[in-house]
Amino acid sequence: MSEKLKLNNQVCFPLYTLAKEVINLYRPILTELDLTYPQYLVMLVLWEEGAQKVSDIGCLLKLETGTLTPLLKRMEQKNMIKRRRDVEDERVVKISLTDNGIELKKKAECVPVQIIQSLNISPDKVQAFKEVAEEILNHINSSRTTA
Amino acid sequence: MSEKLKLNNQVCFPLYTLAKEVINLYRPILTELDLTYPQYLVMLVLWEEGAQKVSDIGCLLKLETGTLTPLLKRMEQKNMIKRRRDVEDERVVKISLTDNGIELKKKAECVPVQIIQSLNISPDKVQAFKEVAEEILNHINSSRTTA
DNA sequence: CTTAAATATATTGTGTGCGATATAATATTA
DNA sequence: TAATATTATATCGCACACAATATATTTAAG
């Protein structure tokens, strides 16, 4: 059989599996904060950058509006964020943290440490891995804009 | 602000994003074969290993039955696979290829080449990346069975 | 041989993820 | 300025992904 179609020779399969497994690693930890992984990413953005437009969050996290709108509504239901139309431009929806959302950051401080520990891999390799991932991402994104 | 919670310092975020982007790379190519990425993985297993139990496919692809059952039913609708209860053990459902499913392999031969090209990264780095991904996966899986 | 435990798959519910389309508001242009 | 194009979200439909639960079948214990 053609070697190229063998599962073990697929490059993207371990990537696909690892991404899922890592999210599964986050799941029990984030459940403590009543967050899912993509919701956690939204919180990271808001904690770091402050109030953001929906489109800004989408741009930073590479998520479409069809994903973000319902996700943000669920976070609003949980009283972590506020969704407000911009008075300057009524098309824009500004996402900001509630007091609860701000407060949640304290509980989140320990999340990255726990994850790094359970990944159980040398910091060097983690860093190298991250860099290759980002390099491939850049390739993909630049070839998209070029095309 | 605590450095550890900054988006750019997250190791798992580029992994999560890259996995999605790579599936988006596959999407137009696999659409030609009327397959999604997880469905393509199922086909890889069947082409390589022949007929398999649902649980075997789940084990190989790290997918739960709640994901696989409806996915396999969609593939059955498209007349790519057959689902048959095992006469020896009525609990088991055996998944096998239809003639169409076997035929589809020819059209799939070119998929890996196209993907590798669009990833646009040196084979060495791809290989190194794959190895680290598999290493982390092994860590996660072994620590799960140990715990 | 009958009941309890284990196994294999199916079902349900919730939450992404994305393409396609719709809607409303703003910007542009004739 | 009225018509048109663009922009920002929202909505809808489909397909995962997984936890929790249900169902059917087989195996094991007594």
Side-chain angles (χ1 to χ4, degrees):
Chain A
M1 117 158 226
S2 122
E3 290 297 311
K4 286 197 195 309
L5 287 180
K6 285 191 178 172
L7 192 63
N8 272 333
N9 296 335
Q10 303 304 309
V11 183
C12 302
F13 174 57
L15 169 65
Y16 161 80
T17 304
L18 180 58
K20 287 189 306 168
E21 301 264 340
V22 165
I23 289 179
N24 289 341
L25 226 51
Y26 273 95
R27 200 184 311 278
I29 298 170
L30 292 180
T31 298
E32 297 291 310
L33 314 186
D34 195 21
L35 287 172
T36 65
Y37 184 69
Q39 289 170 12
Y40 171 68
L41 293 179
V42 169
M43 294 304 279
L44 291 184
V45 168
L46 297 175
W47 286 327
E48 182 173 349
E49 312 269 3
Q52 296 286 308
K53 298 191 290 180
V54 172
S55 52
D56 291 337
I57 298 175
C59 187
L60 286 166
L61 301 184
K62 313 287 181 200
L63 289 170
E64 304 295 318
T65 140
T67 303
L68 273 179
T69 297
L71 185 153
L72 292 170
K73 283 184 174 175
R74 282 187 286 271
M75 294 178 74
E76 186 185 33
Q77 290 297 312
K78 291 192 283 194
N79 193 30
M80 293 173 174
I81 62 167
K82 287 180 288 228
R83 296 166 65 249
R84 289 284 153 70
R85 286 279 165 190
D86 190 333
V87 283
E88 300 290 311
D89 185 339
E90 288 275 351
R91 293 170 305 180
V92 171
V93 172
K94 264 292 186 57
I95 305 298
S96 59
L97 289 165
T98 61
D99 290 345
N100 277 341
I102 296 170
E103 194 67 16
L104 197 58
K105 190 182 172 188
K106 289 180 195 141
K107 289 178 72 178
E109 302 279 359
C110 62
V111 173
V113 190
Q114 291 181 257
I115 292 297
I116 292 289
Q117 281 174 357
S118 43
L119 283 182
N120 190 30
I121 196 117
S122 80
D124 285 357
K125 279 196 180 173
V126 168
Q127 190 58 30
F129 183 76
K130 189 189 168 206
E131 277 162 18
V132 178
E134 285 168 345
E135 184 182 349
I136 303 177
L137 273 171
N138 287 336
H139 280 304
I140 294 176
N141 286 323
S142 62
S143 66
R144 194 182 9 248
T145 51
T146 322
Chain B
M1 114 160 228
S2 122
E3 289 297 312
K4 286 197 198 303
L5 287 180
K6 285 191 177 172
L7 192 63
N8 273 332
N9 297 335
Q10 302 303 310
V11 183
C12 302
F13 174 57
L15 169 65
Y16 162 79
T17 304
L18 181 58
K20 286 189 307 167
E21 301 262 341
V22 165
I23 288 179
N24 289 341
L25 226 52
Y26 273 96
R27 199 183 311 277
I29 299 170
L30 291 180
T31 298
E32 297 291 310
L33 314 188
D34 195 22
L35 287 172
T36 64
Y37 184 67
Q39 288 170 14
Y40 171 67
L41 292 179
V42 169
M43 294 304 279
L44 290 185
V45 169
L46 296 176
W47 285 328
E48 183 173 348
E49 311 270 4
Q52 296 287 309
K53 296 192 290 180
V54 172
S55 53
D56 291 338
I57 298 175
C59 187
L60 285 167
L61 301 183
K62 311 290 182 199
L63 289 170
E64 303 295 318
T65 139
T67 303
L68 274 179
T69 296
L71 185 152
L72 293 170
K73 283 184 174 176
R74 283 187 288 272
M75 294 177 74
E76 186 185 33
Q77 289 297 311
K78 293 192 283 193
N79 192 32
M80 293 172 175
I81 62 165
K82 287 180 287 225
R83 296 166 65 251
R84 289 283 154 70
R85 286 278 167 192
D86 191 335
V87 283
E88 300 290 310
D89 184 339
E90 287 278 351
R91 294 169 303 179
V92 171
V93 173
K94 263 290 185 59
I95 305 298
S96 58
L97 290 165
T98 61
D99 291 344
N100 278 341
I102 296 170
E103 196 66 18
L104 198 56
K105 191 181 172 190
K106 289 180 196 141
K107 290 179 71 177
E109 302 278 0
C110 62
V111 173
V113 190
Q114 291 181 256
I115 292 298
I116 292 289
Q117 280 174 358
S118 43
L119 282 181
N120 190 30
I121 196 114
S122 81
D124 285 359
K125 280 195 177 170
V126 168
Q127 190 57 31
F129 183 76
K130 188 188 168 208
E131 277 163 17
V132 178
E134 285 169 343
E135 185 181 348
I136 302 176
L137 272 172
N138 286 335
H139 278 304
I140 294 175
N141 287 321
S142 63
S143 67
R144 196 189 1 254
T145 50
T146 321

